[in-house]
Amino acid sequence: MSQPCPHKTLQVEPSAYAREVGFEWQSATQRLAAMTRSGRVPPLPLPSPSGAGSGRRRKGADDPAVAQIAKDLLGSFPGPLVLPTDELAWDPGYGPQSFQLWCNDETRNRPTAARKTLYVAAVPEITDEVGFMREWVRPQGLGVSSTYPELRTPDLDDYVAYLGAFYHGFIVKPFPQKLRFVSWEQKNNSSKVQYVGLAAEDGTCTRIRARKGPDGVFSRQLNLVDVLDAQMSMLPKDAYAMVLLVDHDLYEDEDDDFCCGRAYGLNRVCVVSTARYHPILDEGAKLDLDHVWPASHCKAFVNAQCAEADVHRGTRAVAVSAKAPMRAAIQAASQVKHKKEEDDAAAAYLRTLWFSRLVRTVSHELGHNLYLDHCVYYACMMQSTTGMAEDLRQPPYLCAVCLAKIAHKVAVELRGGSSENAAVKDAYVLERYKALAQVCERWKEVGLFAGFQAWLEARIGLMQKEQEQGS
Protein backbone atom coordinates (compact mmCIF):
# COMPACT_ATOMS: atom_id res chain seq x y z
CA MET A 1 0.00 0.00 0.00
CA SER A 2 1.36 3.43 -0.94
CA GLN A 3 2.01 5.93 1.82
CA PRO A 4 -0.39 8.90 2.06
CA CYS A 5 0.88 12.21 0.74
CA PRO A 6 2.29 14.30 3.65
CA HIS A 7 1.35 17.64 2.00
CA LYS A 8 4.67 18.95 3.27
CA THR A 9 4.84 22.17 1.25
CA LEU A 10 1.86 24.38 0.44
CA GLN A 11 1.13 26.10 -2.85
CA VAL A 12 -0.09 29.55 -1.80
CA GLU A 13 0.47 31.35 -5.11
CA PRO A 14 -0.99 30.45 -8.52
CA SER A 15 0.62 27.48 -10.25
CA ALA A 16 3.14 27.53 -13.07
CA TYR A 17 0.27 26.62 -15.39
CA ALA A 18 -1.36 29.95 -14.53
CA ARG A 19 1.50 31.77 -16.23
CA GLU A 20 1.27 29.39 -19.19
CA VAL A 21 -2.33 30.40 -19.91
CA GLY A 22 -1.78 34.10 -19.21
CA PHE A 23 -3.47 34.47 -15.84
CA GLU A 24 -2.18 37.68 -14.26
CA TRP A 25 -2.70 37.52 -10.53
CA GLN A 26 -3.51 40.80 -8.82
CA SER A 27 -0.40 42.26 -7.18
CA ALA A 28 0.10 42.44 -3.41
CA THR A 29 -0.86 46.11 -3.48
CA GLN A 30 -3.98 45.45 -5.56
CA ARG A 31 -5.09 42.59 -3.33
CA LEU A 32 -4.79 44.68 -0.17
CA ALA A 33 -6.45 47.69 -1.79
CA ALA A 34 -9.33 45.49 -3.00
CA MET A 35 -10.30 44.94 0.65
CA THR A 36 -11.00 48.63 1.27
CA ARG A 37 -13.86 51.00 0.50
CA SER A 38 -11.39 53.61 -0.75
CA GLY A 39 -9.69 51.25 -3.20
CA ARG A 40 -6.29 52.32 -1.84
CA VAL A 41 -3.59 50.46 0.09
CA PRO A 42 -4.93 50.32 3.64
CA PRO A 43 -3.32 51.82 6.70
CA LEU A 44 -0.78 49.51 8.27
CA PRO A 45 -0.65 47.15 10.05
CA LEU A 46 -2.96 44.89 8.08
CA PRO A 47 -6.69 45.47 8.38
CA SER A 48 -8.82 42.57 9.53
CA PRO A 49 -10.77 40.59 6.89
CA SER A 50 -13.68 42.98 7.37
CA GLY A 51 -11.73 45.37 5.15
CA ALA A 52 -11.65 48.15 7.76
CA GLY A 53 -8.39 50.00 8.40
CA SER A 54 -6.54 50.32 11.66
CA GLY A 55 -6.33 54.10 11.57
CA ARG A 56 -2.52 54.21 11.62
CA ARG A 57 -0.49 56.21 9.14
CA ARG A 58 -0.73 55.15 5.53
CA LYS A 59 2.46 53.88 3.92
CA GLY A 60 3.29 53.93 0.26
CA ALA A 61 2.32 51.10 -2.03
CA ASP A 62 6.01 50.25 -2.55
CA ASP A 63 6.75 49.92 1.15
CA PRO A 64 8.28 46.50 2.03
CA ALA A 65 5.70 46.13 4.80
CA VAL A 66 2.95 45.89 2.17
CA ALA A 67 4.58 42.90 0.53
CA GLN A 68 5.18 41.25 3.91
CA ILE A 69 1.59 41.74 5.04
CA ALA A 70 0.27 40.37 1.74
CA LYS A 71 2.61 37.38 2.09
CA ASP A 72 1.47 36.68 5.66
CA LEU A 73 -2.14 36.78 4.53
CA LEU A 74 -1.49 33.85 2.18
CA GLY A 75 -1.30 31.54 5.17
CA SER A 76 -5.04 32.12 5.56
CA PHE A 77 -6.06 32.95 2.01
CA PRO A 78 -3.85 31.30 -0.66
CA GLY A 79 -4.01 32.47 -4.24
CA PRO A 80 -6.17 30.68 -6.83
CA LEU A 81 -4.48 27.49 -8.04
CA VAL A 82 -5.39 27.77 -11.76
CA LEU A 83 -4.73 24.15 -12.70
CA PRO A 84 -5.30 22.64 -16.16
CA THR A 85 -9.05 22.54 -16.99
CA ASP A 86 -9.83 25.04 -14.17
CA GLU A 87 -12.22 27.85 -14.99
CA LEU A 88 -9.51 30.54 -14.71
CA ALA A 89 -7.34 28.52 -17.10
CA TRP A 90 -10.14 28.77 -19.69
CA ASP A 91 -10.92 32.42 -18.89
CA PRO A 92 -7.72 33.90 -17.40
CA GLY A 93 -8.81 37.49 -18.06
CA TYR A 94 -11.96 37.40 -15.93
CA GLY A 95 -12.28 40.80 -14.27
CA PRO A 96 -11.95 41.33 -10.49
CA GLN A 97 -14.73 42.71 -8.30
CA SER A 98 -13.12 44.73 -5.51
CA PHE A 99 -14.97 45.77 -2.37
CA GLN A 100 -15.06 49.33 -3.71
CA LEU A 101 -16.54 48.20 -7.04
CA TRP A 102 -19.15 46.04 -5.28
CA CYS A 103 -20.03 48.75 -2.77
CA ASN A 104 -20.50 51.48 -5.38
CA ASP A 105 -22.70 49.38 -7.71
CA GLU A 106 -26.17 50.91 -7.55
CA THR A 107 -27.83 47.87 -9.15
CA ARG A 108 -27.12 45.44 -6.30
CA ASN A 109 -29.86 44.51 -3.86
CA ARG A 110 -29.67 45.91 -0.36
CA PRO A 111 -31.33 44.23 2.62
CA THR A 112 -33.99 46.07 4.58
CA ALA A 113 -35.81 45.48 7.87
CA ALA A 114 -38.72 44.09 5.87
CA ARG A 115 -36.60 42.01 3.48
CA LYS A 116 -33.77 40.22 5.23
CA THR A 117 -34.73 36.52 5.11
CA LEU A 118 -32.91 33.84 3.14
CA TYR A 119 -35.32 31.01 2.29
CA VAL A 120 -34.23 27.43 1.63
CA ALA A 121 -36.77 25.34 -0.29
CA ALA A 122 -36.66 21.58 0.19
CA VAL A 123 -36.36 19.09 -2.66
CA PRO A 124 -39.81 18.92 -4.32
CA GLU A 125 -41.88 15.79 -3.74
CA ILE A 126 -42.30 13.44 -6.69
CA THR A 127 -46.02 12.64 -6.76
CA ASP A 128 -47.32 9.28 -7.97
CA GLU A 129 -48.68 10.80 -11.17
CA VAL A 130 -45.08 11.46 -12.21
CA GLY A 131 -43.56 8.46 -10.46
CA PHE A 132 -41.32 7.88 -13.48
CA MET A 133 -39.28 10.89 -12.30
CA ARG A 134 -37.89 8.76 -9.45
CA GLU A 135 -35.79 6.89 -12.00
CA TRP A 136 -34.39 10.19 -13.27
CA VAL A 137 -32.55 10.84 -9.97
CA ARG A 138 -30.71 7.49 -9.98
CA PRO A 139 -27.17 7.71 -11.40
CA GLN A 140 -26.52 5.26 -14.23
CA GLY A 141 -23.16 6.08 -15.82
CA LEU A 142 -19.55 6.57 -14.71
CA GLY A 143 -19.17 3.05 -13.35
CA VAL A 144 -21.88 3.31 -10.71
CA SER A 145 -21.79 0.42 -8.23
CA SER A 146 -25.03 -1.53 -7.73
CA THR A 147 -23.98 -2.35 -4.14
CA TYR A 148 -23.52 1.27 -3.05
CA PRO A 149 -25.48 2.24 0.11
CA GLU A 150 -28.85 3.88 -0.53
CA LEU A 151 -28.60 7.52 0.59
CA ARG A 152 -31.41 9.88 1.46
CA THR A 153 -31.03 13.44 0.27
CA PRO A 154 -29.44 15.64 3.00
CA ASP A 155 -31.81 17.18 5.55
CA LEU A 156 -33.24 20.65 4.99
CA ASP A 157 -32.55 21.54 8.64
CA ASP A 158 -28.81 20.99 8.07
CA TYR A 159 -28.78 23.49 5.21
CA VAL A 160 -30.66 26.02 7.33
CA ALA A 161 -28.25 25.58 10.25
CA TYR A 162 -25.12 25.95 8.11
CA LEU A 163 -26.40 28.90 6.08
CA GLY A 164 -27.57 30.63 9.24
CA ALA A 165 -23.92 30.68 10.34
CA PHE A 166 -22.38 31.31 6.93
CA TYR A 167 -24.65 34.30 6.29
CA HIS A 168 -24.69 35.25 9.96
CA GLY A 169 -26.90 38.29 10.50
CA PHE A 170 -29.55 37.27 7.98
CA ILE A 171 -32.62 35.29 9.00
CA VAL A 172 -32.46 31.84 7.39
CA LYS A 173 -35.70 29.83 7.20
CA PRO A 174 -37.20 26.85 5.39
CA PHE A 175 -39.43 27.96 2.52
CA PRO A 176 -42.98 27.71 3.94
CA GLN A 177 -44.61 26.03 0.94
CA LYS A 178 -44.30 22.35 0.07
CA LEU A 179 -43.35 21.94 -3.59
CA ARG A 180 -44.39 19.00 -5.76
CA PHE A 181 -43.65 17.67 -9.21
CA VAL A 182 -46.92 16.96 -11.02
CA SER A 183 -47.99 15.98 -14.52
CA TRP A 184 -48.17 18.48 -17.36
CA GLU A 185 -50.07 17.87 -20.56
CA GLN A 186 -47.68 17.06 -23.40
CA LYS A 187 -48.04 19.67 -26.15
CA ASN A 188 -45.99 17.98 -28.86
CA ASN A 189 -44.74 14.57 -29.89
CA SER A 190 -41.03 15.30 -29.63
CA SER A 191 -39.00 12.49 -28.07
CA LYS A 192 -36.31 14.99 -27.06
CA VAL A 193 -38.44 17.21 -24.83
CA GLN A 194 -41.16 16.39 -22.35
CA TYR A 195 -42.78 18.45 -19.63
CA VAL A 196 -43.60 18.15 -15.95
CA GLY A 197 -45.12 20.70 -13.62
CA LEU A 198 -43.63 22.25 -10.48
CA ALA A 199 -46.57 23.05 -8.19
CA ALA A 200 -46.73 25.08 -4.98
CA GLU A 201 -49.33 25.06 -2.23
CA ASP A 202 -50.59 28.49 -3.31
CA GLY A 203 -51.97 26.92 -6.51
CA THR A 204 -49.28 28.08 -8.90
CA CYS A 205 -47.81 25.53 -11.28
CA THR A 206 -44.96 26.14 -13.73
CA ARG A 207 -44.08 24.03 -16.77
CA ILE A 208 -40.59 22.48 -16.52
CA ARG A 209 -38.84 21.09 -19.59
CA ALA A 210 -37.07 17.74 -19.32
CA ARG A 211 -34.62 16.23 -21.80
CA LYS A 212 -32.50 13.12 -22.14
CA GLY A 213 -29.16 13.42 -20.33
CA PRO A 214 -26.51 13.80 -23.05
CA ASP A 215 -23.70 12.06 -21.12
CA GLY A 216 -25.82 9.18 -19.85
CA VAL A 217 -25.03 9.70 -16.16
CA PHE A 218 -28.71 10.51 -15.52
CA SER A 219 -31.52 9.45 -17.84
CA ARG A 220 -33.29 12.84 -17.80
CA GLN A 221 -32.47 16.41 -16.81
CA LEU A 222 -34.65 19.37 -15.85
CA ASN A 223 -34.26 22.83 -17.34
CA LEU A 224 -32.98 25.20 -14.66
CA VAL A 225 -34.31 28.32 -16.39
CA ASP A 226 -37.84 26.99 -15.97
CA VAL A 227 -37.15 26.11 -12.33
CA LEU A 228 -35.87 29.64 -11.63
CA ASP A 229 -38.94 31.10 -13.34
CA ALA A 230 -41.09 29.06 -10.97
CA GLN A 231 -39.18 30.41 -7.98
CA MET A 232 -39.65 34.02 -9.06
CA SER A 233 -43.41 33.50 -9.10
CA MET A 234 -43.46 32.28 -5.48
CA LEU A 235 -40.81 34.47 -3.81
CA PRO A 236 -42.10 35.61 -0.38
CA LYS A 237 -42.42 39.35 0.21
CA ASP A 238 -39.95 39.28 3.11
CA ALA A 239 -37.36 37.28 1.15
CA TYR A 240 -33.97 38.76 0.47
CA ALA A 241 -33.20 35.64 -1.56
CA MET A 242 -34.33 32.05 -2.04
CA VAL A 243 -32.50 28.85 -2.94
CA LEU A 244 -34.30 25.72 -4.19
CA LEU A 245 -32.73 22.27 -3.91
CA VAL A 246 -33.53 19.59 -6.47
CA ASP A 247 -32.36 16.00 -6.67
CA HIS A 248 -32.60 15.94 -10.46
CA ASP A 249 -29.75 16.71 -12.83
CA LEU A 250 -30.05 20.16 -14.43
CA TYR A 251 -29.19 21.84 -17.72
CA GLU A 252 -29.41 25.46 -18.83
CA ASP A 253 -29.30 25.28 -22.62
CA GLU A 254 -28.83 22.66 -25.30
CA ASP A 255 -25.04 23.07 -25.30
CA ASP A 256 -24.78 22.03 -21.63
CA ASP A 257 -23.83 18.54 -20.50
CA PHE A 258 -25.13 19.50 -17.06
CA CYS A 259 -25.20 22.41 -14.62
CA CYS A 260 -24.95 22.03 -10.83
CA GLY A 261 -26.43 25.39 -9.93
CA ARG A 262 -27.35 28.83 -11.16
CA ALA A 263 -28.36 32.16 -9.61
CA TYR A 264 -30.37 35.05 -10.97
CA GLY A 265 -28.77 37.68 -8.77
CA LEU A 266 -31.08 40.62 -9.39
CA ASN A 267 -34.14 38.36 -9.20
CA ARG A 268 -32.93 36.98 -5.84
CA VAL A 269 -33.40 33.30 -6.70
CA CYS A 270 -31.02 30.38 -7.22
CA VAL A 271 -31.24 26.62 -7.70
CA VAL A 272 -28.79 23.83 -6.82
CA SER A 273 -28.89 20.21 -7.96
CA THR A 274 -27.72 17.46 -5.61
CA ALA A 275 -27.21 15.01 -8.48
CA ARG A 276 -23.57 15.38 -9.53
CA TYR A 277 -22.29 15.67 -5.95
CA HIS A 278 -23.45 12.16 -5.03
CA PRO A 279 -20.45 10.15 -3.73
CA ILE A 280 -21.60 7.18 -5.81
CA LEU A 281 -20.08 8.95 -8.81
CA ASP A 282 -16.62 9.51 -7.28
CA GLU A 283 -14.89 6.38 -8.51
CA GLY A 284 -16.12 6.68 -12.08
CA ALA A 285 -15.16 10.36 -12.15
CA LYS A 286 -11.63 9.40 -10.98
CA LEU A 287 -11.53 12.09 -8.32
CA ASP A 288 -8.38 12.45 -6.23
CA LEU A 289 -10.01 12.44 -2.81
CA ASP A 290 -6.62 12.77 -1.10
CA HIS A 291 -6.22 16.24 -2.59
CA VAL A 292 -9.58 17.90 -2.12
CA TRP A 293 -9.64 21.10 -0.05
CA PRO A 294 -7.58 21.90 1.98
CA ALA A 295 -5.02 19.40 0.61
CA SER A 296 -5.61 20.80 -2.89
CA HIS A 297 -2.92 23.32 -1.90
CA CYS A 298 -0.30 20.58 -1.57
CA LYS A 299 2.60 21.77 -3.74
CA ALA A 300 3.54 18.23 -4.84
CA PHE A 301 -0.01 17.69 -6.08
CA VAL A 302 -0.07 21.02 -7.92
CA ASN A 303 3.27 20.30 -9.61
CA ALA A 304 2.04 16.87 -10.71
CA GLN A 305 -1.10 18.39 -12.23
CA CYS A 306 1.00 20.92 -14.15
CA ALA A 307 3.40 18.20 -15.35
CA GLU A 308 0.47 16.29 -16.85
CA ALA A 309 -0.12 19.38 -19.00
CA ASP A 310 3.59 19.37 -19.94
CA VAL A 311 4.43 22.31 -17.69
CA HIS A 312 7.41 21.17 -15.65
CA ARG A 313 8.83 24.36 -14.22
CA GLY A 314 7.90 25.03 -10.64
CA THR A 315 6.95 28.10 -8.66
CA ARG A 316 8.76 29.51 -5.67
CA ALA A 317 8.13 27.87 -2.32
CA VAL A 318 6.58 30.46 0.00
CA ALA A 319 7.18 29.76 3.66
CA VAL A 320 3.95 29.36 5.63
CA SER A 321 3.87 29.47 9.42
CA ALA A 322 3.20 26.18 11.17
CA LYS A 323 0.38 27.99 12.99
CA ALA A 324 -1.22 29.38 9.81
CA PRO A 325 -4.93 28.58 9.32
CA MET A 326 -4.19 26.58 6.15
CA ARG A 327 -1.74 24.39 8.08
CA ALA A 328 -4.34 23.83 10.79
CA ALA A 329 -6.96 22.93 8.17
CA ILE A 330 -4.73 20.35 6.46
CA GLN A 331 -3.71 18.76 9.73
CA ALA A 332 -7.33 18.42 10.90
CA ALA A 333 -8.69 17.19 7.56
CA SER A 334 -5.89 14.64 7.09
CA GLN A 335 -6.91 12.91 10.32
CA VAL A 336 -10.36 12.13 8.89
CA LYS A 337 -10.59 8.88 6.98
CA HIS A 338 -12.71 8.48 3.85
CA LYS A 339 -15.09 5.60 4.61
CA LYS A 340 -16.08 3.18 1.83
CA GLU A 341 -17.51 0.24 3.77
CA GLU A 342 -21.06 -0.63 2.80
CA ASP A 343 -22.81 -0.50 6.17
CA ASP A 344 -25.03 1.89 8.11
CA ALA A 345 -22.10 3.85 9.54
CA ALA A 346 -20.62 4.34 6.09
CA ALA A 347 -24.00 5.41 4.71
CA ALA A 348 -24.30 8.09 7.40
CA TYR A 349 -20.77 9.29 6.68
CA LEU A 350 -21.36 9.37 2.91
CA ARG A 351 -24.56 11.33 3.37
CA THR A 352 -22.65 13.94 5.39
CA LEU A 353 -19.92 13.96 2.73
CA TRP A 354 -22.61 14.59 0.11
CA PHE A 355 -23.99 17.45 2.22
CA SER A 356 -20.52 19.00 2.64
CA ARG A 357 -20.17 19.31 -1.12
CA LEU A 358 -23.65 20.63 -1.65
CA VAL A 359 -23.68 23.27 1.05
CA ARG A 360 -20.60 24.91 -0.43
CA THR A 361 -22.35 25.28 -3.78
CA VAL A 362 -25.54 26.50 -2.10
CA SER A 363 -23.48 29.14 -0.27
CA HIS A 364 -21.85 30.11 -3.59
CA GLU A 365 -25.13 30.56 -5.45
CA LEU A 366 -26.65 32.57 -2.60
CA GLY A 367 -23.48 34.67 -2.70
CA HIS A 368 -24.47 35.72 -6.22
CA ASN A 369 -27.85 36.81 -4.83
CA LEU A 370 -25.84 39.05 -2.50
CA TYR A 371 -24.22 40.37 -5.68
CA LEU A 372 -20.83 38.73 -5.12
CA ASP A 373 -19.17 38.06 -8.47
CA HIS A 374 -16.78 35.19 -9.21
CA CYS A 375 -13.55 35.83 -7.30
CA VAL A 376 -10.06 36.01 -8.84
CA TYR A 377 -8.13 37.45 -5.89
CA TYR A 378 -7.70 34.29 -3.84
CA ALA A 379 -8.81 30.69 -3.63
CA CYS A 380 -12.33 31.45 -2.48
CA MET A 381 -15.77 29.94 -2.16
CA MET A 382 -16.86 32.46 -4.80
CA GLN A 383 -14.47 31.14 -7.46
CA SER A 384 -16.09 29.71 -10.56
CA THR A 385 -15.48 26.06 -11.43
CA THR A 386 -15.65 23.92 -14.55
CA GLY A 387 -16.40 20.53 -13.01
CA MET A 388 -16.52 18.34 -9.95
CA ALA A 389 -12.74 17.93 -9.58
CA GLU A 390 -12.17 21.69 -9.41
CA ASP A 391 -15.25 22.15 -7.27
CA LEU A 392 -13.84 19.84 -4.59
CA ARG A 393 -10.52 21.72 -4.62
CA GLN A 394 -12.16 25.03 -3.73
CA PRO A 395 -12.37 26.24 -0.10
CA PRO A 396 -15.57 26.69 1.92
CA TYR A 397 -14.52 30.13 3.18
CA LEU A 398 -14.93 33.61 1.75
CA CYS A 399 -11.60 35.27 1.01
CA ALA A 400 -10.62 38.57 2.61
CA VAL A 401 -12.06 40.63 -0.27
CA CYS A 402 -15.42 38.83 -0.45
CA LEU A 403 -15.73 38.80 3.33
CA ALA A 404 -15.33 42.59 3.37
CA LYS A 405 -18.48 42.76 1.21
CA ILE A 406 -20.51 40.52 3.53
CA ALA A 407 -19.31 42.37 6.63
CA HIS A 408 -20.44 45.65 5.09
CA LYS A 409 -23.79 44.22 4.00
CA VAL A 410 -24.62 42.93 7.48
CA ALA A 411 -22.84 45.32 9.86
CA VAL A 412 -23.66 48.47 7.88
CA GLU A 413 -26.61 47.91 5.53
CA LEU A 414 -28.59 45.42 7.62
CA ARG A 415 -27.70 46.50 11.16
CA GLY A 416 -27.29 50.21 10.44
CA GLY A 417 -23.69 50.59 11.58
CA SER A 418 -21.25 53.19 10.35
CA SER A 419 -19.31 52.25 7.22
CA GLU A 420 -16.23 53.88 8.77
CA ASN A 421 -16.41 51.99 12.07
CA ALA A 422 -13.75 49.29 11.87
CA ALA A 423 -14.59 47.84 15.29
CA VAL A 424 -18.19 47.12 14.30
CA LYS A 425 -17.16 45.19 11.20
CA ASP A 426 -14.43 43.35 13.06
CA ALA A 427 -16.93 42.32 15.73
CA TYR A 428 -19.24 40.97 13.04
CA VAL A 429 -16.46 38.93 11.41
CA LEU A 430 -15.59 37.34 14.76
CA GLU A 431 -19.27 36.60 15.45
CA ARG A 432 -19.57 34.93 12.06
CA TYR A 433 -16.38 32.90 12.42
CA LYS A 434 -17.45 31.64 15.85
CA ALA A 435 -20.92 30.69 14.60
CA LEU A 436 -19.41 28.77 11.68
CA ALA A 437 -16.88 26.98 13.86
CA GLN A 438 -19.67 25.87 16.18
CA VAL A 439 -21.87 24.54 13.38
CA CYS A 440 -18.95 22.69 11.73
CA GLU A 441 -18.55 20.72 14.96
CA ARG A 442 -21.77 18.87 14.09
CA TRP A 443 -20.24 17.21 11.03
CA LYS A 444 -16.52 17.01 11.80
CA GLU A 445 -16.38 13.33 10.78
CA VAL A 446 -16.03 14.69 7.23
CA GLY A 447 -12.73 16.24 6.17
CA LEU A 448 -14.13 19.47 4.78
CA PHE A 449 -15.92 20.36 8.01
CA ALA A 450 -13.01 19.25 10.21
CA GLY A 451 -10.61 21.32 8.12
CA PHE A 452 -12.93 24.32 7.99
CA GLN A 453 -13.46 24.27 11.75
CA ALA A 454 -9.69 24.22 12.34
CA TRP A 455 -9.20 27.02 9.80
CA LEU A 456 -11.89 29.12 11.50
CA GLU A 457 -10.45 28.61 14.97
CA ALA A 458 -7.01 29.62 13.73
CA ARG A 459 -8.47 32.74 12.08
CA ILE A 460 -10.27 33.62 15.31
CA GLY A 461 -6.99 33.30 17.21
CA LEU A 462 -5.19 35.57 14.75
CA MET A 463 -7.90 38.23 14.87
CA GLN A 464 -8.01 38.21 18.66
CA LYS A 465 -4.23 38.54 18.80
CA GLU A 466 -4.35 41.51 16.40
CA GLN A 467 -6.99 43.16 18.60
CA GLU A 468 -4.87 42.67 21.73
CA GLN A 469 -1.82 44.15 20.04
CA GLY A 470 -3.83 47.13 18.80
CA SER A 471 -5.41 47.93 22.17
Side-chain angles (χ1 to χ4, degrees):
M1 178 181 291
S2 61
Q3 293 296 316
C5 179
H7 317 309
K8 184 177 180 180
T9 306
L10 300 188
Q11 180 81 32
V12 295
E13 296 184 337
S15 71
Y17 191 80
R19 296 200 300 269
E20 190 78 10
V21 296
F23 175 74
E24 296 184 6
W25 193 30
Q26 298 285 296
S27 69
T29 298
Q30 290 171 319
R31 296 196 304 273
L32 293 182
M35 296 168 56
T36 69
R37 179 73 181 268
S38 67
R40 299 190 299 271
V41 177
L44 302 179
L46 176 72
S48 76
S50 70
S54 67
R56 298 191 180 185
R57 70 184 183 89
R58 186 178 303 279
K59 296 189 177 183
D62 58 347
D63 192 285
V66 172
Q68 184 60 49
I69 289 170
K71 178 182 175 182
D72 291 344
L73 199 59
L74 296 181
S76 296
F77 306 104
L81 292 173
V82 197
L83 299 182
T85 76
D86 282 3
E87 177 65 25
L88 283 174
W90 293 112
D91 188 11
Y94 195 89
Q97 184 197 52
S98 67
F99 173 44
Q100 182 190 48
L101 185 64
W102 173 88
C103 207
N104 292 341
D105 194 321
E106 295 298 326
T107 64
R108 66 181 176 86
N109 296 312
R110 288 169 170 78
T112 66
R115 200 178 72 185
K116 59 182 180 182
T117 301
L118 303 177
Y119 282 101
V120 188
V123 172
E125 175 193 359
I126 300 175
T127 59
D128 289 341
E129 62 187 281
V130 288
F132 53 85
M133 291 182 70
R134 297 187 182 103
E135 289 299 317
W136 297 359
V137 303
R138 294 194 174 116
Q140 299 177 348
L142 291 180
V144 169
S145 170
S146 60
T147 61
Y148 205 82
E150 187 75 21
L151 303 182
R152 292 181 295 109
T153 192
D155 290 335
L156 180 67
D157 288 346
D158 286 344
Y159 289 102
V160 172
Y162 183 88
L163 293 170
F166 194 90
Y167 289 112
H168 181 70
F170 282 90
I171 297 170
V172 181
K173 292 181 180 179
F175 181 64
Q177 297 191 58
K178 183 178 180 180
L179 304 180
R180 300 171 294 123
F181 286 117
V182 298
S183 63
W184 188 278
E185 182 183 353
Q186 191 77 11
K187 301 296 184 181
N188 59 43
N189 297 320
S190 170
S191 61
K192 294 183 178 180
V193 179
Q194 68 184 100
Y195 306 113
V196 296
L198 180 57
E201 290 179 328
D202 63 6
T204 61
C205 186
T206 304
R207 187 196 74 174
I208 309 295
R209 286 168 285 176
R211 72 168 189 182
K212 182 179 179 180
D215 60 4
V217 178
F218 293 89
S219 59
R220 287 271 166 176
Q221 301 173 314
L222 303 182
N223 183 266
L224 67 82
V225 176
D226 295 344
V227 174
L228 289 167
D229 285 344
Q231 287 178 255
M232 286 189 283
S233 71
M234 62 181 78
L235 194 65
K237 291 183 179 179
D238 66 338
Y240 181 80
M242 170 186 173
V243 58
L244 170 62
L245 301 158
V246 296
D247 281 344
H248 291 84
D249 205 24
L250 297 174
Y251 76 99
E252 185 167 10
D253 55 47
E254 293 305 317
D255 293 331
D256 277 345
D257 282 340
F258 66 90
C259 186
C260 292
R262 180 70 74 231
Y264 284 179
L266 293 179
N267 298 109
R268 299 179 288 127
V269 294
C270 57
V271 61
V272 173
S273 165
T274 71
R276 299 281 170 158
Y277 295 97
H278 199 304
I280 197 173
L281 299 174
D282 287 0
E283 187 172 350
K286 299 180 180 179
L287 299 175
D288 184 347
L289 297 178
D290 292 329
H291 288 98
V292 298
W293 188 88
S296 52
H297 288 274
C298 168
K299 191 169 183 60
F301 166 73
V302 171
N303 289 344
Q305 293 290 302
C306 293
E308 288 184 9
D310 204 29
V311 175
H312 300 280
R313 66 178 182 274
T315 55
R316 65 173 181 161
V318 179
V320 176
S321 168
K323 296 181 180 180
M326 281 301 299
R327 286 286 188 193
I330 288 178
Q331 182 177 2
S334 65
Q335 295 173 357
V336 175
K337 304 301 180 185
H338 188 78
K339 298 181 179 66
K340 296 183 180 179
E341 298 81 5
E342 294 168 7
D343 56 24
D344 291 343
Y349 163 81
L350 290 167
R351 190 164 177 253
T352 304
L353 177 66
W354 192 12
F355 169 69
S356 74
R357 298 170 176 182
L358 284 163
V359 78
R360 182 168 43 187
T361 298
V362 171
S363 302
H364 174 100
E365 298 302 339
L366 278 172
H368 287 315
N369 288 152
L370 276 68
Y371 213 69
L372 271 63
D373 198 356
H374 287 145
C375 184
V376 300
Y377 290 103
Y378 297 97
C380 176
M381 187 273 294
M382 287 309 300
Q383 269 189 262
S384 182
T385 64
T386 57
M388 203 52 54
E390 183 182 7
D391 200 276
L392 299 186
R393 292 194 294 264
Q394 303 295 11
Y397 58 72
L398 289 170
C399 77
V401 177
C402 293
L403 184 54
K405 302 167 190 175
I406 298 301
H408 182 87
K409 183 169 285 290
V410 174
V412 177
E413 296 180 349
L414 189 57
R415 294 180 175 176
S418 168
S419 62
E420 304 304 321
N421 192 327
V424 169
K425 292 186 180 181
D426 290 350
Y428 166 75
V429 171
L430 273 175
E431 283 177 23
R432 178 181 178 274
Y433 277 168
K434 289 176 181 178
L436 271 170
Q438 184 175 8
V439 80
C440 284
E441 174 74 21
R442 297 170 55 171
W443 309 292
K444 64 180 181 181
E445 72 271 19
V446 166
L448 180 131
F449 288 121
F452 194 19
Q453 183 183 31
W455 184 94
L456 288 160
E457 290 173 347
R459 281 297 311 155
I460 291 168
L462 286 174
M463 289 190 67
Q464 290 176 335
K465 184 177 179 181
E466 290 169 4
Q467 288 181 345
E468 291 171 359
Q469 291 174 344
S471 61

